[in-house]
Amino acid sequence: MTIHWFPGHMAKAHRMIREQLKLVDVVVELLDARIPSSSANPIIDDIVGEKPRVVALNKTDLAEPFGTDQWLAYYRTINRPVVVLEALSGKGSKELITRVASAASGKMEKLAAKGIRPRAVRAMILGIPNVGKSSLINRLLGAATVRTGDKPGVTRGQQWIKISKNLELLDTPGVLWPKLEDQEAAFRLAATGAISDEAVVLEDVILKLLALLAMKYPERLTERYCLEQPLPEEMGELLALVGARRGCMRSGGVIDVEKAGRIVLNEFRDGKLGRFTLDLPNNNKMT
Ligand SMILES: Nc1nc2c(ncn2[C@@H]2O[C@H](COP(=O)(O)OP(=O)(O)OP(=O)(O)O)[C@@H](O)[C@H]2O)c(=O)[nH]1
Ligand SMILES: [Mg+2]
């Protein structure tokens, strides 16, 4: 299975992002705290150029705290402003605003020195599909102004939103990059829901996820699905056990392993199997 997802709307979004960048003072790079390196766009340096950049590690409620701490330390060593965020609850969003303002302060001072009237800071929010860009904007506004959803590819156009007299944010469509060179990273993107389920062989993603969970986190599976250790080595058998526990039956009393697989995938994505950090800094990945 090769995972690849770069539909036409993403190529178009890349072009729009490059055009809009001229108007922007700061770029907020939203990363998924569960997979900070897999969710980082490898061409972002090229896209962003010299613009000030703030990293926001989002969905930290779904990531392991020790992993998030390691990523915070990493970004501090490379002197990049970084914020821990939960766009859904709003935790960390005030700190993000402060960071954005300070990242833009140099530019604002230059404008003031030229006698240009103070204006709102303009920040663009960039990130992979489904990472929480639109949720962040809604949270900051305190209202469901832009559309969000639990699948990738919800935002299609870009939209400037006035957050306050001091800040305007540009919501952008989630983008991946033309070639997912690192297929392990691509798997993590698919498993966490950044790649459309329709664009992958979902069964393969589920089997690989299950193998990862069985190897690294067997106790989470035994606890959640009331299974006994040791777990079967064959993933099909393991899915059948999950299916039996959850009453996934086809007619004739056959266990519906496909349904069982989707349950595991959804519960992994929702945090019901616990918090996961699948990437650590310095390529010290968890799988
Ligand atoms: N658990 C958790 N879920 C979040 C968080 N932030 C966003 N979400 C969920 O993630 C999903 C995607 O959110 P969106 O805001 O639509 O993501 P997006 O980055 O705008 O996605 P695209 O427009 O498709 O690029 C939604 O189901 C949100 O509820 C968070 O901090 N924690
Ligand atoms: Mg969106």
Side-chain angles (χ1 to χ4, degrees), residues 30 58-62 85-89 127-136 147-156 171-175 270:
L30 224 64
N58 192 38
K59 303 199 180 183
T60 40
D61 55 312
L62 299 177
L85 193 64
E86 281 176 32
L88 211 51
S89 71
I128 58 165
N130 212 20
V131 70
K133 299 174 294 299
S134 301
S135 302
L136 170 66
R147 205 155 70 84
T148 64
D150 64 355
K151 60 183 176 55
V154 171
T155 305
R156 286 302 167 92
D171 189 16
T172 63
V175 285
D270 292 348

Side-chain angles (χ1 to χ4, degrees), residues 20-143:
Q20 292 285 325
L21 206 67
K22 295 174 203 133
L23 305 171
V24 159
D25 306 309
V26 179
V27 170
V28 176
E29 184 185 7
L30 224 64
L31 299 178
D32 186 322
R34 295 169 295 176
I35 50 166
S37 47
S38 304
S39 62
N41 190 334
I43 54 176
I44 193 157
D45 289 342
D46 176 51
I47 295 173
V48 174
E50 297 301 307
K51 297 272 176 191
R53 205 154 123 192
V54 176
V55 169
L57 296 169
N58 192 38
K59 303 199 180 183
T60 40
D61 55 312
L62 299 177
E64 291 177 271
F66 86 92
T68 301
D69 287 345
Q70 286 196 31
W71 281 103
L72 279 179
Y74 165 77
Y75 280 109
R76 284 177 187 140
T77 60
I78 64 163
N79 277 327
R80 178 150 300 148
V82 59
V83 179
V84 167
L85 193 64
E86 281 176 32
L88 211 51
S89 71
K91 211 166 150 187
S93 55
K94 293 266 158 24
E95 189 189 346
L96 178 62
I97 290 183
T98 310
R99 295 283 180 157
V100 167
S102 80
S105 61
K107 166 99 174 265
M108 292 300 147
E109 280 161 19
K110 267 190 200 154
L111 293 179
K114 285 186 193 162
I116 295 170
R117 212 156 50 92
R119 60 158 173 81
V121 169
R122 294 193 283 246
M124 174 189 273
I125 305 187
L126 285 187
I128 58 165
N130 212 20
V131 70
K133 299 174 294 299
S134 301
S135 302
L136 170 66
I137 287 182
N138 284 341
R139 193 66 226 183
L140 289 172
L141 285 172

Side-chain angles (χ1 to χ4, degrees), residues 143-189:
T145 303
V146 292
R147 205 155 70 84
T148 64
D150 64 355
K151 60 183 176 55
V154 171
T155 305
R156 286 302 167 92
Q158 44 193 353
Q159 200 180 349
W160 279 104
I161 308 282
K162 197 172 174 64
I163 302 293
S164 70
K165 71 179 194 338
N166 299 322
L167 181 64
E168 287 171 24
L169 292 181
L170 181 62
D171 189 16
T172 63
V175 285
L176 293 165
W177 35 98
K179 193 165 184 332
L180 296 170
E181 305 267 3
D182 180 349
Q183 282 290 304
E184 287 300 318
F187 156 70
R188 295 186 183 97
L189 289 167

